[in-house]
Amino acid sequence: MIDLRSDTVTRPSAEMRRVMAAAEVGDDVYGEDPAVNALQDAAAARFGHEAALFCPSGVMCNQLWLRVLARPGAEVIVEADAHLVNYERGAGALLAGVQFRTLAGTRGLLDPDQVAAAIRPDRFPLTPTALVCVEQTANRGGGTVYEIDRLEHLRAVTAAAGIPLYCDGARILNAAVATGTDPATYGTLFDGLMFCVSKGLGAPVGSLMVGDADAIAEAREWRGRYGGAMRQAGVVAAAGLWALEHGVERLAEDHAAARVLAEAVAEVRPEVVDLDQVQTNIVYLEPVDAVATVAALRAEGVLAGSMDDRTVRLVTHADVDRAQVGRAADALRRVFAAVPAG
Ligand SMILES: Cc1ncc(COP(=O)(O)O)c(C=O)c1O
């Protein structure tokens, strides 16, 4: 099976497993795990921030950042398709006590002027806006990328309102590679960000919060309360560090592979794929009959994700090689020539 459901399905490579087996570890609750500390230092340096915190998942990082950057009873502005709103089981309200104000963007990206108009001041009885969140890349938007000028504009808008700007950067390194942007440039634009080593970078587990030292110290407190403080986590952190050091440039191959898949569909059914939206490693196909399409692809040996009744998603990653991309493209051509429209 060629598994294109998500870039989270990768398994650690032989080299990564060697690094994990050899990791020097300690008790990270005491701050004594050398591999965790090395990964945190590398993550902070990569984004030009003071500190970082290793967490079990991207969702935990997002939730901890909501805790640290917003406050209960306040409002968080976010794009309507964001992971924070759609895929975290209401945790923002439940755990951080925030209310989301969703704005419909374009391909998952917020418009700075729309954000400026939506920010509410802290004046009773208004619900004050405490935080603006962007997602880089925007997963449900199609793996789309915020250009630097749009982020700078958002930064100016939030700074003028005196509120922080946060980035759910689960795939921010895909954006960095796709645009040739130094991750430290992104770092300067956000008060806090998180990125996952468990997605395109290919590590089995983990995500990092990156920000200033005070914010990360507070996040560490909350990570403890949420049960996310780990002990000899260096075994997995070592994989994360290896991924950060060796897996970033390779992301360009995933982007090229996504384009091959999107173009294969466009050859036979141009109306279901927006080639301008294919900017990184994700391809959305809509409108299609998602159940029939996923079943037909499965019969061809390709696993695709159905996001809803009319939307199919393909995600490229380290465990799909060039030959498999070619085979998947052939399968897509056959399937899309045959399946009915959604
Ligand atoms: C944009 C985005 N944010 C956050 C997450 C959550 O990451 P995790 O699955 O590690 O909790 C994901 C996972 O797919 C994601 O796509």
Side-chain angles (χ1 to χ4, degrees):
M1 279 292 183
I2 302 170
D3 194 344
L4 299 173
R5 289 170 303 166
S6 175
D7 48 9
T8 56
V9 301
T10 55
R11 298 189 174 90
S13 62
E15 178 58 23
M16 197 180 271
R17 284 176 190 268
R18 262 195 294 281
V19 168
M20 294 169 77
E24 201 189 325
V25 298
D27 191 331
D28 183 47
V29 172
Y30 298 131
E32 289 174 2
D33 188 303
V36 170
N37 291 339
L39 173 59
Q40 291 175 165
D41 290 348
R46 185 69 65 112
F47 287 94
H49 265 286
E50 286 173 354
L53 187 67
F54 186 50
C55 292
S57 69
V59 168
M60 185 177 282
C61 291
N62 274 345
Q63 292 305 321
L64 291 171
W65 272 126
L66 289 179
R67 258 286 160 194
V68 171
L69 294 176
R71 60 188 182 282
E75 173 177 272
V76 174
I77 291 181
V78 63
E79 208 279 333
D81 280 334
H83 196 279
L84 270 167
V85 177
N86 292 278
Y87 301 110
E88 302 194 9
R89 305 290 290 180
L94 190 67
L95 302 178
V98 297
Q99 161 176 309
F100 287 119
R101 174 105 173 265
T102 57
L103 304 180
T106 310
R107 295 183 178 135
L109 308 179
L110 287 169
D111 169 35
D113 292 330
Q114 198 185 7
V115 171
I119 289 174
R120 285 196 274 234
D122 191 356
R123 193 172 62 232
F124 190 85
L126 294 176
T127 304
T129 307
L131 179 66
V132 174
C133 298
V134 298
E135 196 174 292
Q136 177 80 309
T137 65
N139 175 356
R140 201 69 177 75
T144 44
V145 177
Y146 278 93
E147 296 293 343
I148 289 291
D149 16 342
R150 191 192 291 235
L151 291 175
E152 282 171 349
H153 193 170
L154 279 164
R155 174 88 203 164
V157 164
T158 52
I163 58 175
L165 182 63
Y166 168 62
C167 179
D168 170 350
R171 297 183 181 80
I172 194 169
L173 291 169
N174 291 82
V177 167
T179 58
T181 304
D182 181 347
T185 304
Y186 290 137
T188 60
L189 293 167
F190 303 121
D191 297 280
L193 67 91
M194 77 88 167
F195 72 98
C196 301
V197 289
S198 60
K199 297 199 166 64
L201 299 189
V205 176
S207 299
L208 287 117
M209 303 175 70
V210 180
D212 66 41
D214 287 348
I216 293 298
E218 197 184 339
R220 182 181 282 277
E221 291 263 329
W222 281 103
R223 188 188 65 172
R225 294 188 183 106
Y226 286 8
M230 298 176 284
R231 301 293 178 173
Q232 287 72 34
V235 174
V236 280
L241 183 57
W242 193 89
L244 193 57
E245 286 172 350
H246 300 94
V248 177
E249 280 169 23
R250 197 208 55 77
L251 295 173
E253 294 171 23
D254 297 347
H255 303 168
R259 186 133 283 271
V260 167
L261 300 179
E263 284 173 355
V265 176
E267 276 173 35
V268 290
R269 194 77 88 68
E271 71 279 12
V272 304
V273 57
D274 174 358
L275 289 176
D276 291 340
Q277 190 186 34
V278 183
Q279 298 171 7
T280 54
N281 68 327
I282 300 178
V283 181
Y284 275 88
L285 305 170
E286 58 190 340
V288 296
D289 178 336
V291 173
T293 305
V294 167
L297 285 169
R298 176 182 272 274
E300 292 267 3
V302 175
L303 295 180
S306 78
M307 307 306 283
D308 55 42
D309 289 352
R310 60 195 295 278
T311 312
V312 167
R313 189 184 75 167
L314 309 170
V315 188
T316 54
H317 53 76
D319 286 3
V320 184
D321 64 25
R322 205 172 286 183
Q324 288 175 314
V325 171
R327 288 215 303 280
D330 289 341
L332 285 162
R333 279 189 207 92
R334 281 192 294 275
V335 165
F336 275 92
V339 292

